[in-house]
């Protein structure tokens, strides 16, 4: 492992071939197999990153199952976020140079020794953060920032309910909401996970297996409800989320783990003047993601650099253990993020 996290030297020669993890056919974790692939070469506006670590996210599981195909033009290799060193560039040299250490949001291709990224979707590794932690930042911080604060408009002093508080998304959302001085409610599926949510800044943590989150929110807010709900479940949570919102509340839908169909009494939306919104990150254009990157650099990077917020690392696996990493994420035993690392020793 001695050489695992070493940055390449200035005269690093990019090889022709690399190891990447391929989805051989839709299915369980074992369809993830290490293969040799040609190292991709940057087109205009892109950089090539020598990957040292890559984050694993629930959307990767959906892609592996054949339910979340990569958008047109994106790599078929899974992986939505990486961290490492820029070793080739076809982008404006005023921002990135060879040897720069970055993390990047990508639309695919992260589970590999080398990965292309649009230059505008790269950000410097914050402060003294390790490259492994940096690889766990882009997907959840981009998603949470744009949805909780930009779409949901969460303000200091407001109340927010975050479902799946121990997930990669949830651990990020709790910390950012807490840092913004919101009052944080979070749901999770066990008491230890609820404890983890509290340690990250949740004011009220609700074990959704033993408590009704609507009852708890109503009780804890003297019947008023919360201002914003960030939901990854959907399905029958939709109506219950509406029940949690106070006048002018906002529901932000970013996942559909419980199903994408819901029934709702629209009268409740009208009477309480609610806003229902949501978004997915991966299909946005490079320009939109670039704007978002600048927004994060200005507003979130200082929090990451100071250590006030940061990714919660559950476990790391070597790249060729991607199937094991998926099994762990699928088990939902994790708290926070799972990261693949590259052993070049
Ligand atoms: N819209 C976007 O752009 C975007 C981007 C990234 C991710 N996402 C979505 O965000 C979600 C989380 O992604 P991730 O990578 O953070 O995944 P993850 O770490 O695997 O988290 C999934 C979590 O869901 C929780 N969960 C399951 N059923 C629940 C329920 N009924 N109530 C509350 N929590 C429940 C599980 O916790 P328990 O063990 O406590 O049940 C688990 O922690 C996924 O649905 C993903 O597709 C959306």
């Amino acid at each position: 492992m001695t050489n695992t996290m070493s940055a390449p030297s200035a005269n690093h020669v990019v090889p022709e071939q690399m190891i990447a993890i391929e989805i051989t056919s839709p299915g369980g974790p074992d369809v993830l197999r290490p293969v040799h692939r040609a190292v991709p070469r940057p087109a205009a506006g892109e950089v090539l990153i020598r990957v040292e670590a890559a984050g694993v996210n629930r959307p990767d599981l959906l892609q592996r199952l054949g339910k979340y195909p990569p958008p047109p033009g994106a790599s078929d290799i899974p992986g939505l976020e990486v961290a490492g060193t820029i070793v080739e560039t076809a982008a404006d040299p005023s921002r990135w140079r060879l040897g720069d250490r970055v993390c990047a949001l990508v639309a695919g291709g992260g589970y590999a020794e080398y990965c292309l990224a649009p230059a505008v979707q790269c950000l410097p590794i914050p402060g003294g953060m390790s490259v492994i932690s940096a690889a766990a930042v882009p997907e959840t911080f981009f998603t949470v920032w744009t949805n909780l604060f930009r779409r949901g408009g969460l303000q200091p002093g407001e109340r927010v309910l975050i479902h799946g508080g121990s997930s990669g998304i949830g651990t990020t959302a709790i910390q950012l909401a807490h840092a913004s001085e919101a009052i944080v409610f979070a749901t999770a599926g066990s008491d230890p996970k609820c404890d983890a949510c509290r340690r990250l800044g949740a004011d009220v943590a609700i074990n959704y297996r033993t408590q009704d989150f609507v009852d708890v929110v109503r009780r804890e807010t003297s019947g008023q409800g919360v201002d914003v709900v960030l939901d990854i479940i959907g399905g029958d949570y939709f109506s219950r989320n509406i029940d949690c919102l106070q006048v002018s509340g906002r529901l932000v839908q970013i996942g559909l783990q419980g199903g994408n169909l819901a029934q709702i009494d629209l009268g409740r939306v009208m009477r309480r003047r609610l806003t229902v919104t949501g978004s997915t990150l991966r299909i946005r254009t490079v320009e939109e993601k670039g704007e978002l990157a600048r927004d994060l650099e200005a507003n979130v990077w200082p929090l990451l650099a100071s250590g006030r917020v940061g990714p919660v690392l559950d476990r790391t696996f070597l790249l060729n253990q991607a199937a094991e990493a998926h099994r762990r994420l699928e088990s939902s035993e994790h708290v926070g993020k799972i990261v693949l690392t590259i052993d070049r020793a």
Side-chain angles (χ1 to χ4, degrees):
M1 288 285 285
T2 43
N3 202 21
T4 307
M5 290 292 120
S6 64
S9 64
N11 54 0
H12 177 73
V13 177
V14 177
E16 294 291 322
Q17 294 275 310
M18 66 177 185
I19 304 285
I21 302 298
E22 197 172 77
I23 301 170
T24 48
S25 61
D30 291 329
V31 304
L32 296 174
R33 299 260 174 80
V35 291
H36 286 277
R37 282 279 187 104
V39 173
R41 290 276 128 80
E46 291 182 330
V47 298
L48 181 68
I49 298 170
R50 181 183 182 265
V51 177
E52 288 166 51
V56 178
N57 295 281
R58 192 150 285 256
D60 307 347
L61 306 186
L62 295 176
Q63 180 172 342
R64 195 200 70 217
L65 290 164
K67 296 180 179 168
Y68 192 45
S75 169
D76 63 312
I77 302 289
L80 301 172
E81 56 186 352
V82 295
T85 305
I86 293 180
V87 288
E88 213 174 301
T89 170
D92 174 5
S94 60
R95 178 78 212 250
W96 302 120
R97 289 166 203 282
L98 298 186
D100 282 350
R101 309 270 290 152
V102 294
C103 56
L105 180 76
V106 292
Y111 293 14
E113 291 180 314
Y114 291 84
C115 178
L116 290 177
V120 294
Q121 292 175 210
C122 297
L123 284 162
I125 292 180
M129 187 179 281
S130 75
V131 72
I132 292 177
S133 292
V137 167
E139 178 67 12
T140 62
F141 278 81
F142 275 64
T143 300
V144 169
W145 179 255
T146 183
N147 283 291
L148 197 51
F149 297 94
R150 295 299 179 232
R151 299 197 84 73
L154 183 66
Q155 300 295 319
E158 286 193 328
R159 301 186 190 107
V160 58
L161 171 63
I162 294 162
H163 286 299
S166 66
S167 65
I169 290 282
T171 51
T172 301
I174 290 171
Q175 292 180 79
L176 284 176
H178 177 67
S180 78
E181 294 174 8
I183 299 151
V184 180
F185 293 68
T187 62
S190 70
D191 290 341
K193 284 187 169 188
C194 285
D195 289 340
C197 293
R198 284 188 205 94
R199 284 194 296 275
L200 290 168
D203 298 279
V204 179
I206 306 162
N207 181 340
Y208 70 83
R209 293 187 203 278
T210 57
Q211 292 171 288
D212 179 332
F213 68 81
V214 181
D215 287 349
V216 177
V217 165
R218 285 211 181 116
R219 190 179 68 233
E220 294 287 331
T221 62
S222 309
Q224 287 184 326
V226 296
D227 301 278
V228 178
V229 176
L230 184 70
D231 184 37
I232 60 172
I233 305 300
D236 65 359
Y237 268 36
F238 188 83
S239 172
R240 298 169 72 196
N241 286 335
I242 295 291
D243 287 341
C244 288
L245 284 169
Q246 68 164 325
V247 172
S248 295
R250 289 87 72 193
L251 167 60
V252 189
Q253 198 69 49
I254 60 164
L256 299 167
Q257 286 172 217
N260 55 2
L261 295 180
Q263 263 203 324
I264 167 79
D265 172 359
L266 291 167
R268 285 186 290 162
V269 175
M270 290 162 66
R271 280 191 296 278
R272 268 181 272 157
R273 304 186 290 283
L274 305 180
T275 300
V276 176
T277 182
S279 75
T280 62
L281 183 61
R282 197 182 190 188
I283 56 161
R284 295 206 208 174
T285 64
V286 168
E287 290 70 30
E288 287 172 315
K289 289 176 187 167
E291 273 174 35
L292 194 48
R294 302 289 82 75
D295 190 7
L296 271 120
E297 193 168 11
N299 293 293
V300 178
W301 248 235
L303 294 173
L304 286 163
S306 68
R308 226 175 132 201
V309 303
V312 174
L313 278 187
D314 176 74
R315 199 179 279 187
T316 63
F317 293 86
L318 293 172
L319 181 67
N320 62 12
Q321 297 173 318
E324 283 307 308
H326 274 218
R327 266 189 272 279
R328 171 121 186 116
L329 196 72
E330 230 152 31
S331 75
S332 273
E333 283 166 17
H334 66 290
V335 172
K337 297 276 302 195
I338 293 168
V339 174
L340 300 175
T341 61
I342 309 240
D343 186 1
R344 289 189 166 91

Coordinates of all heavy atoms in Angstrom, one line a residue, residues 56-59 62 139-140 143 147 163-170 187-190 193 208-209 232-233 237 253-257 279-282 329 332 334 336, ligand 1:
V56 N -18.4 6.0 -4.4 CA -19.4 5.1 -4.8 C -20.8 5.7 -4.3 O -20.9 6.1 -3.1 CB -19.2 3.7 -4.1 CG1 -20.3 2.7 -4.5 CG2 -17.8 3.1 -4.5
N57 N -21.7 5.7 -5.2 CA -23.0 6.3 -4.8 C -24.2 5.4 -5.2 O -24.0 4.6 -6.1 CB -23.2 7.7 -5.6 CG -22.1 8.7 -5.1 OD1 -22.3 9.3 -4.1 ND2 -21.1 8.8 -5.9
R58 N -25.3 5.6 -4.6 CA -26.5 4.7 -4.9 C -26.9 4.8 -6.3 O -27.2 3.7 -6.9 CB -27.7 5.1 -4.0 CG -28.8 4.1 -4.0 CD -29.5 4.0 -2.7 NE -28.8 3.3 -1.6 CZ -29.1 2.1 -1.2 NH1 -30.1 1.4 -1.8 NH2 -28.4 1.5 -0.2
P59 N -26.8 5.9 -7.0 CA -27.1 5.8 -8.5 C -26.2 4.8 -9.2 O -26.6 4.3 -10.2 CB -26.8 7.3 -8.9 CG -27.1 8.1 -7.7 CD -26.6 7.3 -6.6
L62 N -28.0 1.6 -9.3 CA -29.1 1.6 -10.2 C -28.5 1.4 -11.6 O -29.1 0.7 -12.5 CB -29.9 2.9 -10.2 CG -30.6 3.2 -8.9 CD1 -31.3 4.6 -8.9 CD2 -31.7 2.2 -8.7
E139 N -20.3 14.4 -5.6 CA -21.7 14.0 -5.9 C -22.7 14.4 -4.9 O -23.7 15.0 -5.2 CB -21.7 12.5 -6.1 CG -23.1 11.9 -6.4 CD -23.7 12.3 -7.7 OE1 -23.0 12.8 -8.6 OE2 -24.9 12.1 -7.9
T140 N -22.4 14.2 -3.6 CA -23.4 14.6 -2.6 C -23.3 16.1 -2.3 O -24.4 16.7 -2.1 CB -23.1 13.8 -1.2 OG1 -21.9 14.1 -0.7 CG2 -23.3 12.3 -1.5
T143 N -25.2 17.8 -5.1 CA -26.6 17.5 -5.1 C -27.3 18.2 -3.9 O -28.3 18.8 -4.1 CB -26.8 15.9 -4.9 OG1 -26.2 15.3 -6.0 CG2 -28.2 15.6 -4.8
N147 N -30.0 21.4 -4.3 CA -31.4 21.1 -4.0 C -31.9 21.7 -2.7 O -32.9 22.2 -2.6 CB -31.6 19.5 -4.0 CG -31.6 19.0 -5.4 OD1 -32.6 19.2 -6.1 ND2 -30.6 18.3 -5.8
H163 N -34.5 13.0 5.0 CA -34.7 11.6 5.1 C -33.4 10.9 4.8 O -32.6 11.4 3.9 CB -35.8 11.2 4.1 CG -37.2 11.5 4.6 ND1 -37.7 11.0 5.8 CD2 -38.1 12.3 4.1 CE1 -38.9 11.5 6.0 NE2 -39.2 12.3 5.0
G164 N -33.2 9.7 5.4 CA -32.0 8.9 5.1 C -30.8 9.7 5.6 O -29.8 9.8 4.9
G165 N -30.9 10.1 6.9 CA -29.8 10.9 7.5 C -28.5 10.3 7.5 O -27.4 11.0 7.5
S166 N -28.4 9.0 7.5 CA -27.1 8.3 7.6 C -26.5 8.0 6.2 O -25.4 7.5 6.1 CB -27.1 7.1 8.4 OG -28.0 6.1 7.7
S167 N -27.2 8.3 5.1 CA -26.7 8.1 3.8 C -25.6 9.1 3.4 O -25.4 10.0 4.1 CB -27.9 8.2 2.8 OG -28.4 9.5 2.7
G168 N -25.0 8.8 2.2 CA -24.0 9.8 1.7 C -24.7 11.2 1.6 O -24.2 12.2 2.1
I169 N -25.9 11.2 1.0 CA -26.6 12.4 0.8 C -27.0 13.0 2.2 O -26.8 14.2 2.5 CB -27.9 12.2 0.0 CG1 -27.5 11.9 -1.5 CG2 -28.9 13.3 0.1 CD1 -27.1 13.1 -2.3
G170 N -27.5 12.1 3.1 CA -28.0 12.6 4.3 C -27.0 13.2 5.2 O -27.2 14.2 5.9
T187 N -34.3 11.4 9.5 CA -34.8 10.1 9.8 C -33.6 9.1 9.4 O -32.8 9.4 8.6 CB -36.0 9.7 8.9 OG1 -35.6 9.8 7.5 CG2 -37.2 10.6 9.1
A188 N -33.7 7.9 10.2 CA -32.7 6.9 9.9 C -33.3 5.6 10.4 O -34.2 5.6 11.2 CB -31.4 7.1 10.5
G189 N -32.8 4.4 9.9 CA -33.4 3.1 10.2 C -32.9 2.4 11.4 O -33.3 1.2 11.6
S190 N -32.1 3.0 12.3 CA -31.7 2.3 13.5 C -31.3 3.4 14.6 O -31.0 4.5 14.2 CB -30.6 1.4 13.3 OG -29.4 2.1 13.0
K193 N -27.7 4.6 14.0 CA -27.7 5.6 12.9 C -28.3 6.9 13.3 O -27.8 8.0 12.9 CB -28.5 5.1 11.7 CG -27.7 4.0 10.9 CD -28.5 3.6 9.6 CE -27.6 2.7 8.7 NZ -28.2 2.5 7.4
Y208 N -37.1 5.8 11.9 CA -38.4 5.6 11.1 C -39.0 4.2 11.2 O -40.1 4.0 10.9 CB -38.2 6.0 9.7 CG -37.4 5.1 8.8 CD1 -38.0 3.9 8.3 CD2 -36.0 5.3 8.6 CE1 -37.2 3.1 7.5 CE2 -35.3 4.4 7.9 CZ -35.8 3.3 7.3 OH -35.1 2.4 6.6
R209 N -38.2 3.3 11.8 CA -38.8 1.9 11.9 C -39.6 1.8 13.2 O -40.4 0.9 13.4 CB -37.6 0.9 12.0 CG -36.9 0.8 10.6 CD -35.9 -0.4 10.7 NE -34.9 -0.2 9.7 CZ -35.0 -0.6 8.4 NH1 -36.1 -1.1 8.0 NH2 -34.0 -0.4 7.6
I232 N -35.5 11.3 -0.3 CA -34.9 10.4 -1.2 C -35.8 9.1 -1.4 O -35.4 8.2 -2.0 CB -33.5 9.9 -0.7 CG1 -33.5 9.3 0.6 CG2 -32.5 11.1 -0.8 CD1 -32.2 8.6 1.1
I233 N -36.9 9.2 -0.8 CA -37.8 7.9 -0.7 C -38.9 8.0 -1.7 O -39.1 7.1 -2.5 CB -38.3 7.7 0.7 CG1 -37.1 7.6 1.7 CG2 -39.1 6.4 0.7 CD1 -36.1 6.5 1.4
Y237 N -44.1 8.2 1.0 CA -43.6 9.3 1.8 C -44.1 10.6 1.3 O -44.1 11.6 2.0 CB -42.0 9.3 1.8 CG -41.4 8.5 2.9 CD1 -41.9 7.3 3.4 CD2 -40.1 8.9 3.4 CE1 -41.3 6.6 4.4 CE2 -39.5 8.2 4.5 CZ -40.1 7.1 4.9 OH -39.5 6.4 5.9
Q253 N -37.6 16.7 -3.9 CA -37.6 15.3 -4.2 C -36.3 15.0 -5.0 O -36.1 15.5 -6.1 CB -38.8 14.8 -5.0 CG -39.0 13.4 -5.0 CD -39.5 12.9 -3.7 OE1 -40.4 13.5 -3.1 NE2 -38.9 11.9 -3.1
I254 N -35.4 14.2 -4.4 CA -34.1 13.9 -5.1 C -33.9 12.4 -5.2 O -32.9 12.0 -5.8 CB -32.9 14.6 -4.5 CG1 -32.7 14.1 -3.0 CG2 -33.0 16.1 -4.6 CD1 -31.3 14.5 -2.5
G255 N -34.7 11.5 -4.7 CA -34.6 10.1 -4.9 C -35.9 9.4 -4.8 O -36.9 10.0 -4.3
L256 N -36.0 8.2 -5.3 CA -37.3 7.5 -5.4 C -37.2 6.1 -4.9 O -37.7 5.2 -5.6 CB -37.8 7.6 -6.9 CG -38.0 8.9 -7.5 CD1 -38.2 8.9 -9.0 CD2 -39.2 9.6 -6.8
Q257 N -36.5 5.9 -3.8 CA -36.2 4.5 -3.4 C -37.5 3.8 -3.0 O -37.5 2.6 -3.0 CB -35.3 4.6 -2.2 CG -33.9 4.9 -2.5 CD -32.9 5.1 -1.4 OE1 -32.1 5.9 -1.4 NE2 -33.1 4.4 -0.3
S279 N -34.9 17.4 -8.5 CA -34.0 17.5 -9.7 C -33.1 16.3 -9.7 O -33.0 15.6 -8.6 CB -33.2 18.8 -9.6 OG -32.1 18.7 -8.6
T280 N -32.5 16.0 -10.8 CA -31.4 15.1 -10.9 C -30.2 15.8 -11.4 O -30.3 16.7 -12.3 CB -31.7 13.8 -11.8 OG1 -31.9 14.3 -13.1 CG2 -32.9 13.1 -11.3
L281 N -29.0 15.4 -10.9 CA -27.8 16.1 -11.2 C -27.2 15.7 -12.5 O -26.7 16.5 -13.3 CB -26.8 15.9 -10.0 CG -25.5 16.6 -10.1 CD1 -25.6 18.1 -10.1 CD2 -24.6 16.2 -8.9
R282 N -27.2 14.4 -12.7 CA -26.3 13.8 -13.8 C -26.7 14.3 -15.2 O -25.8 14.4 -16.0 CB -26.5 12.3 -13.7 CG -25.4 11.5 -14.5 CD -25.7 10.0 -14.4 NE -24.6 9.2 -14.9 CZ -24.7 7.9 -15.0 NH1 -25.8 7.3 -14.7 NH2 -23.7 7.2 -15.5
L329 N -22.8 -1.1 0.2 CA -23.8 0.0 0.0 C -25.2 -0.5 -0.1 O -26.2 0.0 0.5 CB -23.5 0.8 -1.3 CG -24.2 2.2 -1.4 CD1 -23.5 3.2 -0.4 CD2 -24.0 2.8 -2.8
S332 N -27.0 -1.3 3.2 CA -27.4 -0.1 4.0 C -26.9 -0.2 5.4 O -27.4 0.4 6.3 CB -28.9 0.1 4.0 OG -29.3 0.9 2.9
H334 N -23.9 0.8 6.0 CA -22.9 1.9 6.1 C -23.5 3.2 6.7 O -24.7 3.4 6.7 CB -22.4 2.2 4.7 CG -23.5 2.8 3.8 ND1 -24.6 2.0 3.3 CD2 -23.7 4.0 3.3 CE1 -25.3 2.8 2.6 NE2 -24.8 4.0 2.5
G336 N -22.6 7.1 5.8 CA -21.7 8.1 5.1 C -21.3 7.4 3.7 O -22.1 6.7 3.1
Ligands
LIG1 N1 -31.2 13.7 -7.5 C1 -29.9 13.6 -7.6 O1 -29.3 14.3 -8.3 C2 -29.2 12.6 -6.7 C3 -27.8 12.5 -6.7 C4 -27.3 11.6 -5.8 C5 -28.1 10.7 -5.1 N2 -29.4 10.8 -5.2 C6 -30.3 9.8 -4.5 O2 -30.1 10.1 -3.1 C7 -30.3 8.8 -2.4 C8 -29.2 8.6 -1.5 O3 -28.0 8.3 -2.3 P1 -26.7 7.9 -1.5 O4 -25.7 7.7 -2.5 O5 -26.5 8.8 -0.4 O6 -27.2 6.4 -1.0 P2 -27.0 5.6 0.3 O7 -25.8 6.1 1.1 O8 -27.0 4.2 0.0 O9 -28.3 5.9 1.1 C9 -29.5 5.3 1.0 C10 -30.2 5.4 2.4 O10 -31.6 5.3 2.3 C11 -32.0 5.1 3.6 N3 -33.4 4.6 3.6 C12 -33.9 3.5 3.0 N4 -35.2 3.5 3.3 C13 -35.5 4.6 4.0 C14 -36.7 5.1 4.6 N5 -37.9 4.4 4.4 N6 -36.7 6.2 5.3 C15 -35.5 6.9 5.4 N7 -34.3 6.5 4.9 C16 -34.4 5.3 4.2 C17 -31.0 4.0 4.1 O11 -30.8 4.2 5.4 P3 -31.5 3.2 6.5 O12 -30.6 2.0 6.7 O13 -31.5 4.0 7.7 O14 -32.8 2.8 6.0 C18 -29.7 4.5 3.4 O15 -28.9 5.2 4.3 C19 -30.6 7.8 -3.5 O16 -31.9 7.6 -3.6 C20 -30.0 8.4 -4.7 O17 -30.5 7.9 -5.9 C21 -30.0 11.7 -6.0

